[in-house]
Amino acid sequence: MPIRPVLLSPRSQKLIATLILFFATLASSAFAQQATLDAGPQDPQIAAALKQISSARVQATIEKLVSFQNRSTLSAQDPDSIAAGHGVGAARDWIKSQFEAYSKDCGGCLEVKTDSFTENPAERIPKPTVITNVYAVLKGTDPDRAKRIVLVTGHYDSRNSDNFNITDAAPGANDDGSGTAVSLECARVLSKLKLPGTIIFLTVAGEEQGLNGSRHFAQMAKSESWELEAVLNNDIVGGDRSPEQDTKVVRVFSEGVPIASTDQDLRLIRNLGGESDSASREVARYIAEVGRTYDGPVQPMLVFRLDRYLRGGDHSSFNQSGFAAVRFTEFREDYHHQHQNVRTENGIEYGDLPKFVNFDYLAGVARLNAASLASLAAAPAPPSKVHLLTKELTNDSTLTWEASPGATGYEVLWRATTSSEWEHAQAAGNETRITLPKSKDNVIFAVRSLDAAGHRSLPVVPVPER
Ligand SMILES: [Zn+2]
């Protein structure tokens, strides 16, 4: 179709020129503020496993957990109650049987274990109480790399309005049947993979009593010197069906200044602006990158604080023991459906029932967890002893590190000190030293390992070396 010439008045021409300038500025500033790196390549094996995640399976898990009536840590765990399918003991045994069934399906690839201990009386524990964590270990296939562990957890205990009520229903469909379902579903689909690093699928009890189960487990990991690189805690990830819910995102909370910092750590953090570079925060950024790589229906929304106001969770037990750990929680919680006796009052339905859970959303959260766990377990170890040389006053920056088993190359990342996520990457080949014409005073650097297939390790922020 021929184009008819249009005559414009000088005023219109000026207006159009202004508009062009406006949009050009917008585009260039958007480019300058590009907040994120390119997504990494998908691993076809991981992508295929993610397709197995099923909203019907997570729904069945939650409905089964709710059938135990009350999963308070203080509830029954005697043989008769277990046989009758009531109480926390029955829930514990059922979870164990699920892990065992998944293991059977993969030729015994999972080691199914319990971590059981007696907690002494405390504010929310009236008498000595046995608490049992149930977990499955998918051991890494590479003997050198199998000692590196990533872990996913949720709590299988529940409560209603009264923390001491062990008789009325405490369905705990969302809090935290949803997180338990994520651990189980990740175990089911990832147990079919062969990954060089180890993954642990954990479910804990005692959360509502004061994080007792996770504290015990984290302290065991610390006392046994586990190389636990990342902990993903899922607590209230069911996407409660309230009208204001955003089903496209899940919040990922991470601590800033680590609770386990020594005085020396704190001095460095204060002097160098390290407040937003805890190991937990690097895990959160890693999850954001995995979200872009595997492009699922539920994307992470990073929240740079330990947890929500007035609330706590099992990730903080791991933080206390010095491990990197983050918390996943749905975008908007409905407090009528948490820690409430099941009832209707003034037309409002209270109680944590399966009908308020969005199982497609929960499957999306499980998918993001599984992608993150598998990516970390597939990746080479992060570089060790990452140093930034600060002997001389110079506007260049020199970084050094030690080679990682399984790595075929390294990348230096950096971002503006005011930016939330890594912005730039520079390949360093398989060298373990690089000098960049960029002032260390103006950016935050990190180094990560890569392998031939493009798997990326967690990035490591350097310590200054004089
Ligand atoms: Zn919870």
Side-chain angles (χ1 to χ4, degrees):
M1 197 168 69
I3 297 167
R4 206 150 32 116
V6 182
L7 292 173
L8 293 172
S9 70
R11 204 176 144 192
S12 304
Q13 284 175 12
K14 208 170 158 187
L15 181 70
I16 288 167
T18 309
L19 280 172
I20 288 170
L21 190 67
F22 171 75
F23 284 112
T25 311
L26 201 71
S28 75
S29 71
F31 183 73
Q33 289 171 12
Q34 181 190 10
T36 51
L37 292 174
D38 293 342
Q42 285 194 3
D43 175 329
Q45 186 195 208
I46 296 173
L50 298 182
K51 289 205 177 84
Q52 306 301 311
I53 287 174
S54 145
S55 50
R57 293 299 293 244
V58 293
Q59 177 170 1
T61 295
I62 286 183
E63 284 168 355
K64 184 69 187 179
L65 289 169
V66 170
S67 79
F68 300 117
Q69 308 265 9
N70 183 315
R71 308 191 305 279
S72 163
T73 301
L74 310 175
S75 68
Q77 37 183 317
D78 60 284
D80 286 351
S81 302
I82 292 170
H86 289 168
V88 72
R92 170 200 67 204
D93 286 6
W94 179 78
I95 290 166
K96 189 159 176 277
S97 75
Q98 290 303 105
F99 282 138
E100 283 161 351
Y102 305 154
S103 187
K104 206 171 157 213
D105 284 349
C106 60
C109 72
L110 294 173
E111 197 184 340
V112 181
K113 301 176 92 166
T114 54
D115 160 40
S116 205
F117 60 101
T118 302
E119 195 65 280
N120 290 323
E123 196 189 337
R124 277 179 268 171
I125 302 179
K127 59 178 186 198
T129 300
V130 173
I131 295 179
T132 304
N133 302 316
V134 186
Y135 62 110
V137 182
L138 179 64
K139 194 133 202 281
T141 51
D142 180 329
D144 289 336
R145 290 157 70 181
K147 59 184 188 299
R148 294 175 42 228
I149 303 166
V150 293
L151 182 152
V152 61
T153 187
H155 70 88
Y156 70 90
D157 62 313
S158 68
R159 60 164 289 178
N160 54 33
S161 303
D162 175 0
N163 209 341
F164 298 98
N165 180 336
I166 57 170
T167 46
D168 293 320
N174 198 354
D175 186 11
D176 184 29
S178 65
T180 305
V182 168
S183 278
L184 285 171
E185 190 63 354
C186 287
R188 193 180 69 85
V189 303
L190 296 183
S191 54
K192 306 203 167 68
L193 301 186
K194 300 267 179 274
L195 297 163
T198 293
I199 306 179
I200 293 180
F201 310 94
L202 173 64
T203 66
V204 300
E207 198 273 349
E208 304 291 6
Q209 262 42 51
L211 315 179
N212 305 65
S214 57
R215 185 180 311 116
H216 190 265
F217 197 92
Q219 286 172 353
M220 171 175 76
K222 188 184 178 186
S223 70
E224 294 179 1
S225 305
W226 292 13
E227 289 183 29
L228 185 50
E229 283 181 8
V231 172
L232 314 185
N233 172 34
N234 287 266
D235 196 350
I236 312 175
V237 289
D240 184 280
R241 296 176 182 277
S242 60
E244 298 89 345
Q245 189 61 274
D246 184 344
T247 57
K248 292 191 169 52
V249 297
V250 61
R251 291 179 290 173
V252 179
F253 291 87
S254 57
E255 69 173 2
V257 177
I259 185 78
S261 299
T262 63
D263 285 351
Q264 193 192 356
D265 295 334
L266 291 174
R267 253 195 314 279
L268 270 182
I269 288 168
R270 198 166 53 238
N271 288 343
L272 301 174
E275 293 87 352
S276 194
D277 281 284
S278 66
S280 300
R281 199 142 291 171
E282 305 310 348
V283 170
R285 293 187 178 105
Y286 190 95
I287 293 165
E289 195 175 300
V290 167
R292 293 189 285 275
T293 296
Y294 289 95
D295 197 25
V298 180
Q299 288 291 317
M301 171 187 146
L302 305 193
V303 182
F304 283 2
R305 54 167 51 117
L306 173 62
D307 210 323
R308 302 100 74 232
Y309 281 89
L310 301 173
R311 308 297 290 275
D314 290 319
H315 59 309
S316 69
S317 292
F318 288 93
N319 291 155
Q320 292 271 359
S321 283
F323 296 115
V326 301
R327 175 191 184 123
F328 290 75
T329 298
E330 64 192 18
F331 176 73
R332 185 180 189 277
E333 295 167 79
D334 188 328
Y335 304 105
H336 295 146
H337 303 153
Q338 292 178 17
H339 302 189
Q340 294 286 347
N341 284 344
V342 179
R343 67 193 191 279
T344 301
E345 250 175 46
N346 302 324
I348 296 170
E349 283 187 279
Y350 291 86
D352 190 354
L353 297 167
K355 68 176 176 179
F356 302 123
V357 173
N358 178 336
F359 300 106
D360 289 335
Y361 174 84
L362 175 54
V365 175
R367 186 186 187 281
L368 177 61
N369 272 266
S372 302
L373 294 165
S375 298
L376 286 164
S384 56
K385 303 214 168 85
V386 182
H387 290 167
L388 179 61
L389 304 192
T390 57
K391 277 195 194 80
E392 292 161 13
L393 291 174
T394 158
N395 284 306
D396 291 342
S397 301
T398 298
L399 293 123
T400 64
W401 57 91
E402 282 187 2
S404 297
T408 55
Y410 303 91
E411 261 178 357
V412 178
L413 310 181
W414 67 92
R415 64 178 206 272
T417 59
T418 51
S419 295
S420 55
E421 284 194 57
W422 299 110
E423 295 170 314
H424 308 278
Q426 165 81 50
N430 60 1
E431 302 293 323
T432 56
R433 180 188 180 100
I434 193 170
T435 298
L436 295 170
K438 179 163 278 299
S439 172
K440 54 196 162 295
D441 300 326
N442 300 345
V443 298
I444 294 171
F445 283 114
V447 183
R448 68 181 173 193
S449 311
L450 309 172
D451 70 8
H455 298 118
R456 299 161 165 183
S457 77
L458 285 165
V460 180
V461 174
V463 291
E465 181 188 302
R466 274 197 276 184

PDB file of all heavy atoms in Angstrom, residues 155 175-176 207-208 235, ligand 1:
ATOM      1  N   HIS A 155       8.002 -28.001  57.256  1.00  0.00           N
ATOM      2  CA  HIS A 155       7.669 -28.622  58.554  1.00  0.00           C
ATOM      3  C   HIS A 155       6.324 -29.334  58.465  1.00  0.00           C
ATOM      4  O   HIS A 155       5.359 -28.798  57.928  1.00  0.00           O
ATOM      5  CB  HIS A 155       7.738 -27.610  59.700  1.00  0.00           C
ATOM      6  CG  HIS A 155       6.685 -26.537  59.744  1.00  0.00           C
ATOM      7  ND1 HIS A 155       5.477 -26.711  60.377  1.00  0.00           N
ATOM      8  CD2 HIS A 155       6.669 -25.275  59.261  1.00  0.00           C
ATOM      9  CE1 HIS A 155       4.759 -25.594  60.283  1.00  0.00           C
ATOM     10  NE2 HIS A 155       5.460 -24.702  59.611  1.00  0.00           N
ATOM     11  N   ASP A 175       0.124 -24.430  56.032  1.00  0.00           N
ATOM     12  CA  ASP A 175       1.179 -24.258  57.047  1.00  0.00           C
ATOM     13  C   ASP A 175       1.328 -25.527  57.856  1.00  0.00           C
ATOM     14  O   ASP A 175       0.682 -25.678  58.884  1.00  0.00           O
ATOM     15  CB  ASP A 175       0.820 -23.063  57.940  1.00  0.00           C
ATOM     16  CG  ASP A 175       1.918 -22.725  58.924  1.00  0.00           C
ATOM     17  OD1 ASP A 175       3.024 -23.261  58.784  1.00  0.00           O
ATOM     18  OD2 ASP A 175       1.667 -21.917  59.839  1.00  0.00           O
ATOM     19  N   ASP A 176       2.146 -26.491  57.509  1.00  0.00           N
ATOM     20  CA  ASP A 176       3.007 -26.352  56.354  1.00  0.00           C
ATOM     21  C   ASP A 176       2.948 -27.648  55.549  1.00  0.00           C
ATOM     22  O   ASP A 176       3.982 -28.199  55.181  1.00  0.00           O
ATOM     23  CB  ASP A 176       4.411 -25.992  56.828  1.00  0.00           C
ATOM     24  CG  ASP A 176       5.372 -25.724  55.678  1.00  0.00           C
ATOM     25  OD1 ASP A 176       4.901 -25.276  54.620  1.00  0.00           O
ATOM     26  OD2 ASP A 176       6.556 -26.028  55.818  1.00  0.00           O
ATOM     27  N   GLU A 207       8.352 -27.110  64.561  1.00  0.00           N
ATOM     28  CA  GLU A 207       8.469 -25.719  64.103  1.00  0.00           C
ATOM     29  C   GLU A 207       7.611 -24.807  64.958  1.00  0.00           C
ATOM     30  O   GLU A 207       8.063 -23.754  65.419  1.00  0.00           O
ATOM     31  CB  GLU A 207       8.070 -25.620  62.626  1.00  0.00           C
ATOM     32  CG  GLU A 207       8.562 -24.353  61.930  1.00  0.00           C
ATOM     33  CD  GLU A 207       7.642 -23.146  62.050  1.00  0.00           C
ATOM     34  OE1 GLU A 207       6.486 -23.287  62.499  1.00  0.00           O
ATOM     35  OE2 GLU A 207       8.074 -22.035  61.706  1.00  0.00           O
ATOM     36  N   GLU A 208       6.356 -25.231  65.175  1.00  0.00           N
ATOM     37  CA  GLU A 208       5.412 -24.378  65.908  1.00  0.00           C
ATOM     38  C   GLU A 208       5.746 -24.314  67.409  1.00  0.00           C
ATOM     39  O   GLU A 208       5.222 -23.479  68.134  1.00  0.00           O
ATOM     40  CB  GLU A 208       3.971 -24.870  65.715  1.00  0.00           C
ATOM     41  CG  GLU A 208       3.513 -24.988  64.255  1.00  0.00           C
ATOM     42  CD  GLU A 208       3.357 -23.640  63.556  1.00  0.00           C
ATOM     43  OE1 GLU A 208       3.700 -22.597  64.136  1.00  0.00           O
ATOM     44  OE2 GLU A 208       2.884 -23.651  62.391  1.00  0.00           O
ATOM     45  N   ASP A 235       7.670 -22.667  53.566  1.00  0.00           N
ATOM     46  CA  ASP A 235       6.707 -22.593  54.667  1.00  0.00           C
ATOM     47  C   ASP A 235       5.591 -21.635  54.238  1.00  0.00           C
ATOM     48  O   ASP A 235       5.830 -20.439  54.084  1.00  0.00           O
ATOM     49  CB  ASP A 235       7.433 -22.102  55.930  1.00  0.00           C
ATOM     50  CG  ASP A 235       6.640 -22.366  57.202  1.00  0.00           C
ATOM     51  OD1 ASP A 235       5.464 -22.743  57.094  1.00  0.00           O
ATOM     52  OD2 ASP A 235       7.211 -22.184  58.294  1.00  0.00           O
TER      53      ASP A 235
HETATM   54 ZN    ZN B   1       4.859 -22.680  59.261  1.00  0.00          ZN
END
